[in-house]
Amino acid sequence: MTALLEVQNLSVAYGAIEAVRDVSFAVEQGQIVSLIGSNGAGKTTTLRTISGLIRPKSGRILFEGKPIGDLAAHSILERGVAHCPEGRRLFGRMTVEENLQLGAYVRKDEGVAKDMERVYELFPVLGQRKQQKAGLFSGGEQQMLAIGRAMMSKPRLLMLDEPSMGLSPIMTQLIFDTIRELQSQGTTILLVEQNALAALALSDRGYVVDLGRTTLEGPGHELLADERVRAAYLGED
Amino acid sequence: MATLLQQLINGLVLGAAIALIALGYTMVYGIIQLINFAHGEVFMVGGFASLATYSYVLPDSWKSDWYLALPLMAVGGALVAVVLAVIMERFAYRPLRNAPRLAPLITALGVSVVLKEAVRLWYPGATAPVPYPRAFVDKQFSVEAFGGRITIGSTALLMIAVSLIGAVVLQTYISRSRMGRAMRATAQDPDTARLMGVNPNRTIVLTFAIGAALAGIAGVLYGIHYTNVDTEVGFLYGIFAFTAAVLGGVGSIKGAVIGGFAIGLIKSLAGQYLPGGTSYDLVWIFILLIVVLVFRPQGLFGEPERVRA
């Protein structure tokens, strides 16, 4: 069985600076996979490359077994990869509803209105304020909208970059519960997190990215127990 | 009193033409932060293209029927303007999209000179103002009022009507349609718009094309109202429209229209009533611009900063 997403020896450079040197990992259908690692390890760059915002320098990205490294961002989304970016990046001057409509921009089927209702069911606070500008919402509510917006394209693979960043513990818990809920509904998830403990606890598989390389990998619970991981990322000596 | 009303009407007509051009400036700036200085020349080319449609394309028997001639001239003017703007975007601006902002700005100035000189050299007789056909829509409505005579031509009414209708249609399109949402998304955050599946090139080309179509139509209306076209008007009206867009707040449709009308009115009223007359009318326009920018740098209806959620 081929993995849904497979990244092989990826390297990405901004000019002369190599942000990602040799990253390899695979995401199986139906799994939650997380990439953990410190600031500047290359996790965000990896996601931005998968979604087509940046071109890889070398290496291969396969989605459903087919290379997508040379495709434009909109073609990659059309194939079923949605990216919920770091810092949420909502369209702050547009309403909740318009943000969700943009999430469904590539869809031409009739089900958009129904899926929008599903987002409102999942996050009732959005449904109550759908005509308000996204920029007026709290951090947690914005993260809900960002996830809802990414789901509107009906992705096969949802990539979430730091969904818990800047959120209260309660909000973080809610977002992680939502991620698990989305998985149970059949969405495959690639998660980038600095909150390694929470991310690994949730994940079927984890990869540690360090200085642009994948250095460790394993099932989430095994990595959680790994002494090197605990020392480096969980703040234990 | 009659003079005042007459000048108000003249100002509104001039303002309507400026507003139509300013819409293109403001839309293009909104989406790629480029002041497209060649946009005034697109308006001028639209005027010449519609004249060429009349002179070389229309069969003689149609020329006296304004309801046949005018729409076809508008289509001719707008079409040439759109093709020109699309070529301009593709070959002059797109290669520079990630260059420092000065580079596309200078390029725009270069494109503007090329267009103006090309028309002057190659359009028959364009070294001087070329008379525009006035065999149609020259009906004047005049009323005796306030101890004088106030006249408004059908071309003036048409100019004002087209400008207002154009702005309302455009505003509706941008705020309601799927492509309008894509344009706003690209303007706010190009990378995230790409993550939504918006094709930035297609969105930007569409923006240029809409702006050019409006400028082309403004060219036709200018021609039938002022009864000539001149290679110089591109630069002059380009400056007016640029000022209108800045005054209203670059990126704002409403701002461009109100800025356009404001400039038209100031020019005609200041020319009539302020010391110095028409020799100083441009001075007042730019004084107003400076005053607005001192107290409200984002313009009347502009967004103060990029708001990023």
Side-chain angles (χ1 to χ4, degrees):
Chain A
M1 177 189 152
T2 54
L4 183 64
L5 177 78
E6 202 165 351
V7 172
Q8 299 169 345
N9 309 105
L10 183 71
S11 79
V12 187
Y14 297 101
I17 303 157
E18 270 200 331
V20 171
R21 291 159 212 266
D22 183 15
V23 162
S24 300
F25 62 90
V27 182
E28 302 284 343
Q29 177 80 46
Q31 284 188 335
I32 297 180
V33 171
S34 54
L35 304 182
I36 61 168
S38 54
N39 252 334
K43 310 182 298 287
T44 294
T45 304
T46 303
L47 292 199
R48 287 170 63 83
T49 311
I50 296 170
S51 59
L53 292 177
I54 318 174
R55 291 260 163 265
K57 191 179 149 207
S58 62
R60 302 207 324 149
I61 304 169
L62 302 172
F63 185 68
E64 295 177 315
K66 297 190 193 83
I68 58 167
D70 292 331
L71 296 181
H74 56 91
S75 316
I76 292 171
L77 181 71
E78 278 163 9
R79 295 199 177 198
V81 182
H83 180 174
C84 179
E86 185 178 12
R88 308 183 258 282
R89 305 284 284 263
L90 297 173
F91 300 104
R93 297 201 298 264
M94 295 193 208
T95 64
V96 168
E97 194 171 21
E98 287 176 316
N99 271 279
L100 293 179
Q101 283 168 332
L102 275 160
Y105 181 78
V106 292
R107 284 176 60 185
K108 294 183 174 68
D109 59 279
E110 302 294 308
V112 173
K114 219 175 91 204
D115 287 338
M116 208 175 281
E117 283 310 316
R118 283 182 52 200
V119 172
Y120 293 146
E121 270 166 37
L122 193 61
F123 304 117
V125 62
L126 300 180
Q128 288 151 16
R129 298 164 67 188
K130 45 186 138 171
Q131 297 306 333
Q132 286 186 31
K133 300 250 189 297
L136 301 172
F137 284 72
S138 76
E141 290 161 346
Q142 291 195 2
Q143 188 61 56
M144 295 176 192
L145 179 52
I147 293 175
R149 182 180 68 175
M151 288 305 293
M152 285 302 292
S153 68
K154 279 193 156 175
R156 315 273 316 276
L157 173 69
L158 173 64
M159 304 194 294
L160 297 165
D161 195 347
E162 304 279 4
S164 76
M165 192 170 68
L167 302 188
S168 69
I170 295 175
M171 219 22 122
T172 304
Q173 191 52 50
L174 183 96
I175 294 296
F176 278 103
D177 289 346
T178 306
I179 294 171
R180 204 186 281 283
E181 168 73 20
L182 292 176
Q183 180 199 25
S184 71
Q185 291 171 11
T187 310
T188 307
I189 287 161
L190 175 58
L191 181 63
V192 156
E193 260 298 336
Q194 289 201 46
N195 188 346
L197 181 65
L200 289 176
L202 192 69
S203 298
D204 298 297
R205 200 163 183 80
Y207 291 82
V208 176
V209 185
D210 189 28
L211 295 175
R213 289 186 174 83
T214 30
T215 51
L216 284 172
E217 64 167 285
H221 60 92
E222 275 180 28
L223 281 184
L224 261 183
D226 190 295
E227 275 173 22
R228 289 164 297 180
V229 174
R230 299 194 79 85
Y233 302 107
L234 302 178
E236 291 178 13
D237 301 313
Chain B
M1 193 64 195
T3 317
L4 173 67
L5 279 175
Q6 187 64 56
Q7 286 298 359
L8 282 174
I9 290 168
N10 295 346
L12 286 176
V13 176
L14 178 66
I18 295 171
L20 273 176
I21 307 165
L23 288 171
Y25 265 109
T26 218
M27 286 177 66
V28 165
Y29 183 86
I31 204 158
I32 50 171
Q33 284 76 50
L34 165 73
I35 306 281
N36 179 13
F37 273 117
H39 187 62
E41 310 303 336
V42 172
F43 153 74
M44 180 273 292
V45 168
F48 276 96
S50 61
L51 179 60
T53 310
Y54 180 85
S55 310
Y56 307 118
V57 180
L58 285 183
D60 280 341
S61 57
W62 292 15
K63 288 185 179 175
S64 52
D65 296 321
W66 67 267
Y67 51 86
L68 289 176
L70 195 55
L72 288 170
M73 290 165 72
V75 168
L79 200 66
V80 171
V82 167
V83 169
L84 185 67
V86 169
I87 292 173
M88 209 156 75
E89 192 280 328
R90 180 66 190 82
F91 295 103
Y93 302 142
R94 192 180 298 180
L96 296 173
R97 197 161 311 143
N98 296 316
R101 277 165 68 175
L102 194 57
L105 192 72
I106 306 268
T107 306
L109 287 170
V111 170
S112 138
V113 172
V114 167
L115 289 178
K116 180 174 154 185
E117 293 305 312
V119 173
R120 201 171 65 84
L121 281 173
W122 291 323
Y123 197 91
T127 44
V130 183
Y132 208 85
R134 53 176 315 172
F136 50 92
V137 287
D138 57 353
K139 188 168 168 43
Q140 303 279 327
F141 306 94
S142 61
V143 283
E144 297 281 350
F146 307 107
R149 177 170 284 275
I150 300 156
T151 307
I152 181 162
S154 41
T155 54
L157 289 173
L158 192 62
M159 180 96 89
I160 295 170
V162 169
S163 166
L164 291 177
I165 292 168
V168 170
V169 169
L170 185 61
Q171 177 74 60
T172 312
Y173 179 73
I174 288 179
S175 59
R176 310 245 174 217
S177 73
R178 176 173 174 273
M179 276 315 288
R181 267 198 301 279
M183 289 163 119
R184 282 182 294 146
T186 306
Q188 280 185 41
D189 186 343
D191 268 358
T192 307
R194 287 168 67 197
L195 290 181
M196 303 295 112
V198 174
N199 179 338
N201 287 337
R202 199 188 295 169
T203 313
I204 290 166
V205 164
L206 180 71
T207 308
F208 269 87
I210 292 175
L214 293 170
I217 290 169
V220 183
L221 295 170
Y222 177 93
I224 60 172
H225 184 70
Y226 295 104
T227 67
N228 68 66
V229 276
D230 180 352
T231 51
E232 300 295 325
V233 296
F235 179 75
L236 185 64
Y237 277 70
I239 292 289
F240 284 156
F242 166 64
T243 311
V246 174
L247 193 65
V250 233
S252 160
I253 302 286
K254 187 167 62 170
V257 173
I258 290 174
F261 281 109
I263 286 176
L265 287 170
I266 292 166
K267 185 168 183 302
S268 82
L269 294 177
Q272 178 76 32
Y273 295 109
L274 289 181
T278 50
S279 329
Y280 280 78
D281 53 7
L282 298 186
V283 174
W284 305 116
I285 292 173
F286 292 108
I287 285 179
L288 175 76
L289 178 70
I290 291 166
V291 170
V292 168
L293 289 185
V294 166
F295 293 103
R296 226 184 130 72
Q298 73 272 31
L300 295 173
F301 299 97
E303 299 278 346
E305 275 284 295
R306 243 173 208 228
V307 183
R308 181 153 288 162

